[in-house]
Amino acid sequence: MHSMQQFDFVRGDDTIYTATKTIFLTQGTNDKIDIDRDSLDFDGEISPRTYTVADIQDIGFLIAKTFKTASTLSVMIDEHTAALFERDVWVKWLAFGLALSTYRYQHTTSAQLLPEIAPFRLATACKTLITAFDAGQTLAYSQLISRELMNKPGNVLYPASFVDAVEGLAMHDVALSYLGDDEMLAQGFGGLMGIAQGSDREARLLCLDYHPANATTTIALVGKGVTFDSGGISIKQPRYMSTMKVDMGGAAAVVGALHAVANLKLPVRVIGLCGLVENMPSGKAVKPGDVVTMLSKTNVEIITTDAEGRMVLADVLHYAQQTYQPDYLIDIATLTGSTGIALGKAYASLMGNNDAFMQLAQQAGNQCAEALWPMPSNHALFQSALKSDFADLRHGSEEPDGSPCVAATFLQHFVAPEQKWIHIDSASMSLGMTHRHIHPQAASGFGALLLTHICQQLAQRGE
């Protein structure tokens, strides 16, 4: 039997306020989440037709923003509405939204990451609910790490300072190491270093290794970390080029996820690998028509230097498999504008070589409101776009047809056939997610929750 639920969230700072505000959640006829302040019995009433995980996150944010002077926010949920989700799911995502309610990006000249979450606690003695509340706060902090990395401009955040910023984070049980230019050149990272050579900034391959005792499953997360993408010699149009500081959104998501996975103490080994480069036009830059030898010894013809992310990812994917032999391999990247044209901001696209793994990723996306939509890859038409007269492969086509699918097909050439692998293209999800209360402005940190929940799903399977 479900009954009316009540959760009391108390502001943790020594506030001068003593008021309690009651917010009633029920089902009504509203199409969007807003607070009716004219309720007779409550300080606010929220009554959409139904509730999603995204709605619960947004409600936490909205009530904290609306009732800024309340010391206690008492959320009451009618029995039919409460029955839509388990109690711990309500608490986790309300806590997540509450925690994000005071975040605002403030520019500093340092790459140091100091995000702060709003100080709430849950008034309860129930261990399960306290665990859920703590998880919501951990996820909020982890997402803010990703957001801060994405919000910082390219003159503050570049490959070397990205590594410094992450080194400054306290991550339990996570070993940090990195490869620099000389090591990567010596090892033959031709794709990654080919992109990096146009910039005066050194490249980095950042490795974060969360390795709990007794972990039997290994998951490798690979993030595209182009700290600024000018397009290189194939220089971008001026419009929106200022937003290309978020082209390291995949790498930011990987860092946020490692923070969450470590804090949640998931019983799996998770390795985060961030390929960090700046893509610039200069006399040293790679040119269209150049042929580059990748880490895997594949020769690749460059068509446009603005298709740089896949060159970085291909080398790091190869490295991840050779070095760690992961059970599961995931890459995430702000890769193709066409993904955004196809799916807008409703979904990131999902491609891969294993249906069960793709389904698991979609479930994880639904659990945390970072949704994925499957797209095809490896079709003969996508393969034909990669045929080169001058090399083993070209990295894309002169035509834009099916570009997200062509990009994934290119990456698949660097993934062993038996390796379980998925590719997440989150190109349009980094900025402008203002349809969500939790993202009123600036970067979204998209992917941190998603990768964490995929790791959780795999941990629960205990495979």
Side-chain angles (χ1 to χ4, degrees):
M1 275 296 289
H2 277 274
S3 55
M4 172 110 141
Q5 295 289 344
Q6 178 176 344
F7 303 117
D8 292 337
F9 299 99
V10 182
R11 271 186 217 272
D13 47 1
D14 294 324
T15 172
I16 51 169
Y17 306 118
T18 54
T20 294
K21 298 289 182 182
T22 56
I23 301 97
F24 183 57
L25 309 188
T26 183
Q27 283 162 282
T29 55
N30 288 343
D31 284 326
K32 61 183 208 295
I33 297 293
D34 48 26
I35 299 182
D36 177 7
R37 306 285 295 272
D38 295 328
S39 164
L40 291 175
D41 302 312
F42 304 97
D43 296 300
E45 190 170 302
I46 299 176
S47 54
R49 290 176 205 280
T50 187
Y51 289 80
T52 63
V53 166
D55 294 334
I56 305 175
Q57 295 172 355
D58 282 346
I59 287 165
F61 183 92
L62 186 61
I63 61 178
K65 270 270 186 264
T66 304
F67 301 109
K68 285 194 182 76
T69 60
S71 65
T72 301
L73 296 171
S74 187
V75 180
M76 301 186 182
I77 312 175
D78 79 27
E79 56 184 308
H80 294 295
T81 306
L84 294 171
F85 297 96
E86 296 294 335
R87 291 171 72 210
D88 58 338
V89 174
W90 280 106
V91 166
K92 173 176 152 179
W93 293 123
L94 285 169
F96 174 81
L98 289 165
L100 294 175
S101 62
T102 52
Y103 174 71
R104 190 166 160 271
Y105 177 64
Q106 301 263 275
H107 175 72
T108 67
T109 53
S110 161
Q112 196 180 5
L113 301 169
L114 299 166
E116 287 188 7
I117 57 173
F120 280 92
R121 61 185 174 81
L122 179 64
T124 182
C126 172
K127 287 251 175 30
T128 309
L129 294 186
I130 290 170
T131 301
F133 179 85
D134 291 346
Q137 285 201 313
T138 292
L139 290 166
Y141 190 82
S142 301
Q143 190 190 73
L144 289 186
I145 289 170
S146 301
R147 286 201 215 181
E148 284 277 285
L149 285 165
M150 291 165 76
N151 282 329
K152 287 184 184 290
N155 59 329
V156 172
L157 195 83
Y158 41 89
S161 68
F162 185 110
V163 172
D164 293 341
V166 176
E167 266 186 305
L169 291 171
M171 292 209 234
H172 316 297
D173 292 338
V174 176
L176 180 148
S177 58
Y178 67 87
L179 301 179
D181 281 16
D182 295 344
E183 292 150 295
M184 287 193 281
L185 284 169
Q187 289 189 33
F189 280 80
L192 188 154
M193 291 306 299
I195 301 306
Q197 74 193 36
S199 170
D200 292 341
R201 304 275 193 200
E202 289 191 5
R204 293 283 186 268
L205 174 55
L206 172 63
C207 172
L208 300 170
D209 188 350
Y210 166 71
H211 197 168
N214 310 324
T216 53
T217 300
T218 299
I219 305 162
L221 308 178
V222 170
K224 172 186 170 183
V226 179
T227 57
F228 184 77
D229 181 18
S230 69
I233 296 294
S234 314
I235 199 159
K236 291 178 180 285
Q237 297 291 323
R239 193 172 180 213
Y240 299 130
M241 207 206 278
S242 67
T243 65
M244 287 299 112
K245 65 176 190 175
V246 302
D247 208 21
M248 32 56 74
V254 168
V255 174
L258 259 291
H259 181 271
V261 163
N263 270 290
L264 296 168
K265 298 185 167 67
L266 297 188
V268 283
R269 185 181 186 190
V270 182
I271 293 133
L273 294 165
C274 302
L276 301 166
V277 300
E278 189 180 65
N279 186 25
M280 296 293 278
S282 76
K284 305 193 300 273
V286 70
K287 304 175 297 299
D290 283 1
V291 175
V292 170
T293 302
M294 308 293 284
L295 184 61
S296 68
K297 303 294 186 275
T298 306
N299 296 317
V300 173
E301 180 192 3
I302 304 288
I303 300 300
T304 161
T305 64
D306 194 23
E308 84 297 336
R310 65 196 67 179
M311 301 296 287
V312 174
L313 288 171
D315 271 357
V316 183
L317 285 168
H318 181 78
Y319 179 82
Q321 293 166 91
Q322 298 301 107
T323 311
Y324 299 103
Q325 294 85 45
D327 300 294
Y328 297 93
L329 179 63
I330 303 168
D331 76 80
I332 181 166
T334 51
L335 209 61
T336 63
S338 305
T339 286
I341 293 168
L343 301 173
K345 296 183 187 299
Y347 299 92
S349 68
L350 170 69
M351 288 150 266
N353 63 3
N354 183 285
D355 288 341
F357 191 16
M358 287 174 71
Q359 280 168 355
L360 177 137
Q362 275 185 281
Q363 283 168 351
N366 294 338
Q367 275 184 341
C368 66
E370 292 194 340
L372 293 169
W373 192 265
M375 278 186 167
S377 63
N378 219 22
H379 187 282
L381 284 171
F382 308 142
Q383 290 289 5
S384 65
L386 302 174
K387 286 195 168 68
S388 170
D389 291 344
F390 308 102
D392 301 325
L393 280 178
R394 57 183 191 173
H395 73 158
S397 165
E398 300 283 3
E399 303 301 328
D401 304 349
S403 70
C405 309
V406 170
T409 302
F410 174 77
L411 292 176
Q412 195 158 344
H413 279 271
F414 300 87
V415 175
E418 66 283 358
Q419 172 69 61
K420 290 176 182 166
W421 163 73
I422 56 172
H423 161 66
I424 297 162
D425 188 338
S426 58
S428 64
M429 311 303 272
S430 301
L431 287 166
M433 299 283 280
T434 50
H435 56 286
R436 297 288 312 279
H437 287 289
I438 59 168
H439 299 307
Q441 64 202 112
S444 66
F446 181 91
L449 299 185
L450 175 61
L451 295 175
T452 304
H453 282 76
I454 293 172
C455 290
Q456 256 179 329
Q457 286 264 4
L458 291 171
Q460 280 162 359
R461 292 189 148 195
E463 290 177 356

